[in-house]
Amino acid sequence: MRIDVGLTGVAAIMRELEGDLASAATGAMREAMPHARQELREQITGAGLGTRLANTWRGEVYPGSRKSINPSGYIWSNAPDIVDAFDRGAQITPRGGKRFLAIPTDNVPRSPGRGRRTSTKRMTPAEVEQSFSQDLFYRRGKAGRVLAFINAVASSGRSGYGQVMATNVDGLNGQYCLAIKSRRVTISGSYAAGGSNLWIIKSDGSAVGTGTAGKIFVSGLVGEGVGGTTHGLRLFSANAAATSINVTGFDIESIDTAVEIEAATRMSDVTIAQGTARDVRRFGMKASGAIDEISLSAINLIDVATYAAQFLSGRITTRDIYVSMKSGSTAHADDFFRVEPGVVGFSCDNLKMEENRGAGNTVPTLYLQSPRGYNRLSNIDCRIDGNLPLKGFRGQLAVGNSVAISPLIDLDSMHSLVKLDANAAVTVIAIISVAPGGATLPEGYTVTVIPNSGFPYTFANSAAGGNLNIETGDVARTVNQPIRFEWGGAVWHRV
């Protein structure tokens, strides 16, 4: 007798058991992974390294939303190099060969985030100095640490810490009526009288309580000088760089120099606009030193005694400038507007200059010696008693028996004209042959000399220390008798 026994539903039972096992295994993994991750985070915070580094530990269970009889948990750090360095005890050094690491304390404000949010990252030392408009100062701490501090005054507004702002500032009879030696300063309306400087914006990192000047906006300046007032508005970078300085609207009277920009250390991004200066005893505008970019526009200089402007260096842009020289003045013996060889770029649009002191001035109105090719001139109207000066023209007073003529070089026309005055008999032995920038003049350059007085003029051939080559020997000239020379590379030849 044969009996067959069969079991049904075994496959279904096995699938059910496998599902139960997968649920249990996956559930256990999902419960264990967060505990392991939290233990790693607590190790970081327990070492005093803060929650930010601790929270770099991340974890994930695989498969994600499904169940598996063989689940896995993966834990990693988003800052593996930092964690590894602390785990192995590696030496941490500042980048770029610097001496210290800057570690912010809880008192350091957080950096501004996008929109209206505040970042979770704390400010760097540079951001702190910029935000508080002052430099950090340092004190020695324990175990070789150096602590950095700042004099912070909390703002009552929602923005936290603000820039310095002032209106209607008055100053009288001091070395400086108003001195600005900081960053992020806005002044609207200032009256100054007397003193050696009406206003000075100075970048000087050496003195206590001062720093680099930058992001300064000044408007509405009214000032009146006395006999000892040397500067109206003075911008000066002593031993720290200065940048982003904007002055709009000034009215100055009775001073030696209306606007002076002096850069012992780098100065850049300077804008001065909409100003008037009257009764200027020396310079209307002056710029010198390590200057990058300066813009001057809509400025009136009235009754100037010496130079309307003298620019010795930098890249200068001027627009809408009006100048008038003092009526009856004999104080100035040089040019209205001088641009020296040290200027690397000069742009001028709409310049009008007038002189009222009377006939007889033979110096050029516009003296331009910055390198050829960097100058942009348009709408220039320069008049001496209504007469336009010739380009490359200058006057010179000759005295003695060893006169060297110094022509105003014009490389575009390759020609200069010199009117030579004299108060006695003179002997000319040389003509200066240096081009703008210090190079030697190109061969073929010509100079015409016109005696301008009735005294005898002698042009000496091959004199000691001279450079004139006159084949016929010495030549005599008198008033209005021109003589012309051409540069041959070594000497001037009479032509």
Side-chain angles (χ1 to χ4, degrees):
M1 179 173 152
R2 181 179 178 182
I3 300 174
D4 293 328
V5 178
L7 296 175
T8 60
V10 174
I13 294 172
M14 293 300 295
R15 285 195 296 271
E16 185 177 352
L17 289 173
E18 185 178 350
D20 291 341
L21 289 173
S23 296
T26 303
M29 181 60 69
R30 288 176 178 167
E31 183 177 352
M33 188 279 295
H35 287 292
R37 181 184 61 192
Q38 185 61 30
E39 183 178 347
L40 291 171
R41 289 180 175 180
E42 290 175 354
Q43 290 178 11
I44 297 290
T45 55
L49 300 178
T51 59
R52 186 177 177 185
L53 180 60
N55 289 335
T56 64
W57 284 112
R58 294 287 189 265
E60 192 68 64
V61 175
Y62 298 96
S65 59
R66 295 183 293 110
K67 299 175 182 178
S68 172
I69 200 169
N70 293 310
S72 62
Y74 178 52
I75 300 175
W76 74 94
S77 173
N78 285 336
D81 293 338
I82 298 176
V83 172
D84 180 64
F86 281 109
D87 183 51
R88 292 185 297 105
Q91 183 178 4
I92 301 175
T93 59
R95 291 182 298 180
K98 301 298 179 65
R99 184 177 177 185
F100 294 105
L101 284 171
I103 302 175
T105 67
D106 292 340
N107 294 319
V108 176
R110 300 188 186 278
S111 300
R114 293 184 178 180
R116 301 184 61 141
R117 291 187 172 185
T118 300
S119 170
T120 57
K121 179 182 177 182
R122 296 196 181 272
M123 291 182 177
T124 65
E127 289 174 335
V128 170
E129 290 184 326
Q130 182 178 10
S131 179
F132 288 89
S133 305
Q134 55 183 287
D135 296 331
L136 291 164
F137 60 93
Y138 303 91
R139 297 287 185 269
R140 286 285 178 184
K142 296 180 180 179
R145 296 185 180 92
V146 176
L147 306 177
F149 297 89
I150 208 159
N151 291 321
V153 179
S155 168
S156 60
R158 297 178 62 183
S159 59
Y161 300 92
Q163 63 182 359
V164 178
M165 302 185 69
T167 59
N168 301 325
V169 180
D170 290 350
L172 301 172
N173 295 324
Q175 182 181 3
Y176 312 121
C177 290
L178 175 62
I180 301 172
K181 300 183 179 182
S182 184
R183 291 193 296 270
R184 299 184 68 192
V185 177
T186 299
I187 293 181
S188 177
S190 175
Y191 172 76
S196 59
N197 298 267
L198 297 182
W199 303 280
I200 183 169
I201 298 174
K202 185 177 182 182
S203 191
D204 182 2
S206 64
V208 176
T210 66
T212 57
K215 292 189 177 181
I216 294 175
F217 301 90
V218 180
S219 62
L221 305 181
V222 178
E224 183 178 357
V226 295
T229 303
T230 57
H231 295 90
L233 174 62
R234 186 182 183 197
L235 278 59
F236 180 35
S237 60
N239 53 21
T243 185
S244 299
I245 299 174
N246 188 301
V247 179
T248 303
F250 64 85
D251 193 313
I252 305 170
E253 186 172 358
S254 301
I255 33 79
D256 282 357
T257 300
V259 177
E260 179 165 5
I261 303 168
E262 183 181 358
T265 309
R266 179 176 173 270
M267 184 180 294
S268 63
D269 192 16
V270 176
T271 301
I272 300 176
Q274 300 177 16
T276 298
R278 303 177 184 84
D279 187 21
V280 181
R281 294 185 286 266
R282 294 187 64 221
F283 296 96
M285 300 179 292
K286 185 176 182 181
S288 62
I291 296 170
D292 285 350
E293 297 281 347
I294 292 180
S295 174
L296 303 159
S297 63
I299 295 176
N300 299 313
L301 302 171
I302 301 170
D303 288 344
V304 180
T306 307
Y307 294 122
Q310 184 184 36
F311 301 125
L312 286 86
S313 58
R315 190 177 299 276
I316 313 294
T317 300
T318 64
R319 179 186 295 272
D320 299 331
I321 308 295
Y322 170 79
V323 181
S324 70
M325 306 303 280
K326 280 184 181 295
S327 178
S329 169
T330 58
H332 76 284
D334 287 298
D335 319 293
F336 271 18
F337 215 94
R338 292 181 64 94
V339 182
E340 306 286 358
V343 174
V344 297
F346 178 68
S347 173
C348 181
D349 181 22
N350 195 18
L351 168 67
K352 184 175 182 180
M353 296 187 290
E354 298 178 339
E355 183 186 32
N356 304 308
R357 102 176 157 83
N361 184 20
T362 58
V363 297
T365 302
L366 178 61
Y367 178 88
L368 182 63
Q369 268 200 308
S370 61
R372 183 186 183 191
Y374 289 90
N375 305 309
R376 300 291 183 269
L377 308 178
S378 60
N379 300 320
I380 309 298
D381 185 2
C382 308
R383 299 177 183 273
I384 299 176
D385 292 326
N387 298 315
L388 288 173
L390 298 173
K391 194 173 182 181
F393 168 83
R394 89 169 308 160
Q396 181 176 339
L397 178 63
V399 178
N401 295 320
S402 300
V403 174
I405 294 175
S406 179
L408 178 60
I409 303 302
D410 177 20
L411 293 176
D412 292 327
S413 67
M414 291 287 288
H415 178 71
S416 295
L417 175 65
V418 179
K419 273 194 174 182
L420 202 60
D421 280 306
N423 52 19
V426 297
T427 299
V428 178
I429 66 169
I431 301 175
I432 303 300
S433 58
V434 179
T440 303
L441 285 174
E443 294 186 23
Y445 194 93
T446 58
V447 173
T448 299
V449 183
I450 302 177
N452 201 41
S453 64
F455 297 99
Y457 294 75
T458 300
F459 293 84
N461 174 50
S462 302
N467 61 0
L468 303 183
N469 182 19
I470 307 172
E471 294 181 358
T472 58
D474 295 354
V475 174
R477 284 291 186 269
T478 186
V479 63
N480 293 332
Q481 291 182 342
I483 184 170
R484 188 171 184 176
F485 295 89
E486 179 178 308
W487 179 244
V491 295
W492 291 90
H493 300 277
R494 182 192 174 188
V495 294

